[in-house]
Amino acid sequence: MVNLGTQPIRTQSDISEFEAEMTLEERLPEQSILDVFINSADRDPDATALTMLITGTEDEEPRRVTYKQLLGQIMRAANLFAAIGGEAPGVAFMLPALIETHVTLWGAETAGYAVPINFLLQPESIAELLKASEAKILVALGPHPQLDIWEKALAIREQVPGLVLVRVSPPGTPPEEGVIDLAGALMAQPDDHLTFGEARRGSDLAAYFHTGGTTGVPKLVAHTHRSQLVAAFGGAVMCGFRSDDVFTATFPLFHVAGTIVGGLSCFMAGVELLVMTPAGLRNPAVVASFWRLVAQYKVTIVGGVPTAIGAILQTPIGDHDISHVRAGATGASLLPPAVGQKFKEVTGCTLFEILGMTEASGLISIDPLCGTGTAGSVGWALPYTNVDVLKLESDGGLGAVCEIGEIGVVAIKGPHVSPGYSVPEFNSEVFVDGVLNSGDLGCKDANGCLYVAGRSKDLIIRSGHNIDPVMIENAMSTHPAVALAAAVGMPDPYAGELPICFIQVHTSDEVTVEELMAHAQNTIDERPAWPKIIKIVDEIPLTSVGKIFKPSLRCDAAKLVVSNLLREQLKLPDAHVQVEAGGPRGLCVTVCLSETDASSRSSVEKKLHDFLFETRVEVGS
């Protein structure tokens, strides 16, 4: 049975002692994901594994599932998927946060492999993911008044020959021809043994997680049973999870944050997961009543992405008793210092950062939740793994280890690293000689703490000067009116790029661009990093897990520049500008001129020639 140790991890020396006491194999003999649920059910069968809220109202009677019940449901699901999909079937799912989502995910990994799908994607993209993963089964939420998941599932079935559709619907929903009802089908399967032989294990494929864009050949990252187990073990140890913890399960299960640290790590330690409605912190009612729910369900660890944490901190605690909270945990994107400071002011607890990556089976490093916290740091590497900061060579390769404080590329090595992508051609620049190139820029301090400076691809390069957008964003986030800040490179014919910062303000605050510009110049030390433009927007685009979606903002920045150029320099106010992400130069700008302005085509082409993006100038509608 997994041995998480008896002493909490607080420092780097604690990790070293922990590793010296036992080998990884001695501490983590488990080889199958199913072993985690067997062990937890054996240890305390009646302990609550999942508490499910549907509405989050004060008088709601939540649905609770014990560890024994969860194990039984996972067994049933594994037997069902093997029965309808054959040997080691690929099981895709499009589901919000539900108990059935956990049952589907872990049952799929037990019988074959899971393919978690972001249900917000378009049907055509999802169909390509299913084809690339060779999934045989799709589990989807049935008809719903707010969500169009079922409509997408039906459209996808038409595009993927032989796909078996399994529906998750409330009891009493009328049957649908050619569709398997999950609840009824599960009850027809045994819950005390597997009908198809042994559970998948070791180096067997456990899951394919989609990463990257939604165009071109899908990038699917392979997880094995052992890689997920090692990552989850590291998460449980570094978070100091205990069997009396209650953790807010707000990360979606199509993302590794929800699957590993917000899922499997918790189950290893016997934690209770509080599922805060199917929409989680995307549900305004949950945000508005968050601290009441924390008090009502005696939450001990508050989890969420930084943008969601920032939102709940706008909700007054009032007279709710949140004394059970011992820590906060955040990841999926970098934490603005202002949010961390406010969390401390509001709760009296530290908000600890977690660094994860799909290619590392979900986790890389953690600022230990039992420690004192290191502001701005994502802590230390998981036990039995290595994280180095390496010099970036001129040819794009990784070189020697950087000095203390020197910025380089974060590189990871260990048994939690993915064996690679489903398409081997994608591996060449990411997986090199057993080392994972994260693409993150970072440095280490004298204590070995890791600090992430942002994504290498997000660097703003102004006349050869590398500007970290996180520095700009953190500075702008300290302004009391700023809810969210996002800095990207704005195309410039002379400097290549100039920094532009998009600002989303709190709805109750009023602030001018001039005030924000003054704040930038007073708080950003590097003059080249002062934003050339600050643009206040109604809403900064986010991904489905709350990360700022910078490709969209880069397009907006390029469109703004080109539109201004056409209007002010070439006197073409009616020209239409369209910007798309992608292509060999990152962006493609199309300018469409009216027939009246056709004579200006060569002038437009000449003006755009000096920019680094691709350009097209067309005439006509």
Side-chain angles (χ1 to χ4, degrees), residues 263-409:
L264 199 57
S265 295
C266 295
F267 294 133
M268 271 189 181
V271 172
E272 176 186 344
L273 290 182
L274 177 64
V275 184
M276 305 179 83
T277 79
L281 292 178
R282 285 181 168 271
N283 182 344
V286 170
V287 173
S289 58
F290 184 82
W291 298 113
R292 190 258 302 162
L293 294 170
V294 166
Q296 184 175 350
Y297 291 95
K298 296 181 171 53
V299 168
T300 61
I301 302 176
V302 173
V305 298
T307 48
I309 296 290
I312 62 173
L313 290 174
Q314 299 304 309
T315 302
I317 289 179
D319 58 358
H320 298 301
D321 178 8
I322 64 165
S323 59
H324 288 88
V325 176
R326 66 180 180 90
T330 188
S333 61
L334 297 181
L335 173 68
V339 175
Q341 291 165 9
K342 185 160 187 181
F343 188 88
K344 182 77 170 180
E345 294 168 4
V346 169
T347 68
C349 301
T350 300
L351 182 58
F352 297 90
E353 285 194 73
I354 297 171
L355 177 63
M357 187 177 183
T358 307
E359 288 84 347
S361 297
L363 284 174
I364 295 173
S365 67
I366 298 177
D367 191 13
L369 270 62
C370 295
T372 56
T374 304
S377 173
V378 292
W380 295 284
L382 307 182
Y384 307 102
T385 72
N386 294 97
V387 174
D388 289 313
V389 179
L390 304 180
K391 296 178 186 291
L392 182 62
E393 304 289 3
S394 58
D395 63 357
L398 301 181
V401 175
C402 291
E403 302 293 330
I404 291 173
E406 182 182 5
I407 296 287
V409 177

Side-chain angles (χ1 to χ4, degrees), residues 8 142 172 180 219 259-260 286 300 343 347 349 379 398 414 433 440 531 542 555 573 604 619:
I180 296 173
K219 290 183 73 173
T259 302
I260 304 302
V286 170
T300 61
F343 188 88
T347 68
C349 301
L398 301 181
D433 299 326
D440 283 327
L542 303 177
C555 291
V604 174
V619 176

Side-chain angles (χ1 to χ4, degrees), residues 29-348:
E30 285 76 5
Q31 292 295 319
S32 172
I33 296 300
L34 185 64
D35 291 338
V36 171
F37 297 96
I38 291 173
N39 292 342
S40 294
D42 283 346
R43 183 173 56 239
D44 193 349
D46 297 325
T48 301
L50 293 161
T51 296
M52 178 78 221
L53 307 179
I54 296 299
T55 63
T57 55
E58 193 165 2
D59 59 351
E60 177 178 0
E61 186 63 37
R63 180 183 170 196
R64 299 184 189 272
V65 175
T66 67
Y67 271 94
K68 181 180 179 180
Q69 291 168 334
L70 180 58
L71 171 62
Q73 289 294 89
I74 292 170
M75 290 268 206
R76 290 183 191 273
N79 291 332
L80 171 64
F81 297 145
I84 62 179
E87 184 179 356
V91 182
F93 62 85
M94 297 194 304
L95 297 168
L98 298 167
I99 289 171
E100 287 77 9
T101 314
H102 280 280
V103 170
T104 297
L105 168 61
W106 309 118
E109 293 198 358
T110 299
Y113 58 94
V115 185
I117 298 290
N118 179 352
F119 54 80
L120 298 176
L121 295 175
Q122 293 303 308
E124 295 75 18
S125 297
I126 297 173
E128 290 304 313
L129 289 172
L130 297 187
K131 292 173 186 176
S133 66
E134 299 183 345
K136 296 180 179 179
I137 301 166
L138 175 60
V139 184
L141 183 70
H144 188 277
Q146 281 87 43
L147 298 172
D148 62 352
I149 294 176
W150 187 244
E151 289 77 9
K152 287 182 179 180
L154 293 175
I156 290 163
R157 183 172 61 173
E158 298 301 314
Q159 301 177 51
V160 184
L163 186 67
V164 178
L165 211 51
V166 179
R167 187 186 65 184
V168 176
S169 293
T173 302
E176 193 164 340
E177 187 176 354
V179 173
I180 296 173
D181 179 74
L182 182 68
L186 287 179
M187 293 308 296
Q189 298 292 333
D191 66 355
D192 59 351
H193 70 279
L194 298 178
T195 58
F196 53 87
E198 287 193 347
R200 301 271 284 174
R201 61 186 48 251
S203 60
D204 289 339
L205 178 65
Y208 274 135
F209 278 86
H210 176 226
T211 188
T214 59
T215 58
V217 179
K219 290 183 73 173
L220 292 167
V221 181
H223 286 188
T224 67
H225 279 255
R226 190 61 180 171
S227 75
Q228 284 193 348
L229 287 166
V230 172
F233 171 78
V237 170
M238 297 291 278
C239 290
F241 283 148
R242 310 186 302 241
S243 60
D244 60 348
D245 273 328
V246 179
F247 187 89
T248 57
T250 61
F251 300 106
L253 284 172
F254 57 73
H255 189 273
V256 288
T259 302
I260 304 302
V261 73
L264 199 57
S265 295
C266 295
F267 294 133
M268 271 189 181
V271 172
E272 176 186 344
L273 290 182
L274 177 64
V275 184
M276 305 179 83
T277 79
L281 292 178
R282 285 181 168 271
N283 182 344
V286 170
V287 173
S289 58
F290 184 82
W291 298 113
R292 190 258 302 162
L293 294 170
V294 166
Q296 184 175 350
Y297 291 95
K298 296 181 171 53
V299 168
T300 61
I301 302 176
V302 173
V305 298
T307 48
I309 296 290
I312 62 173
L313 290 174
Q314 299 304 309
T315 302
I317 289 179
D319 58 358
H320 298 301
D321 178 8
I322 64 165
S323 59
H324 288 88
V325 176
R326 66 180 180 90
T330 188
S333 61
L334 297 181
L335 173 68
V339 175
Q341 291 165 9
K342 185 160 187 181
F343 188 88
K344 182 77 170 180
E345 294 168 4
V346 169
T347 68

Side-chain angles (χ1 to χ4, degrees), residues 35 46 97 156 174 195 229 260 311 320 382 401 441 497 509 517 538 552 565 568-569 595 608 616:
D35 291 338
D46 297 325
I156 290 163
T195 58
L229 287 166
I260 304 302
H320 298 301
L382 307 182
V401 175
L441 297 172
E497 289 182 317
D509 291 327
M517 189 66 78
D538 292 335
S552 174
L565 181 152
E568 297 170 7
Q569 296 185 31
E595 295 288 351
L608 297 181
R616 288 196 297 261

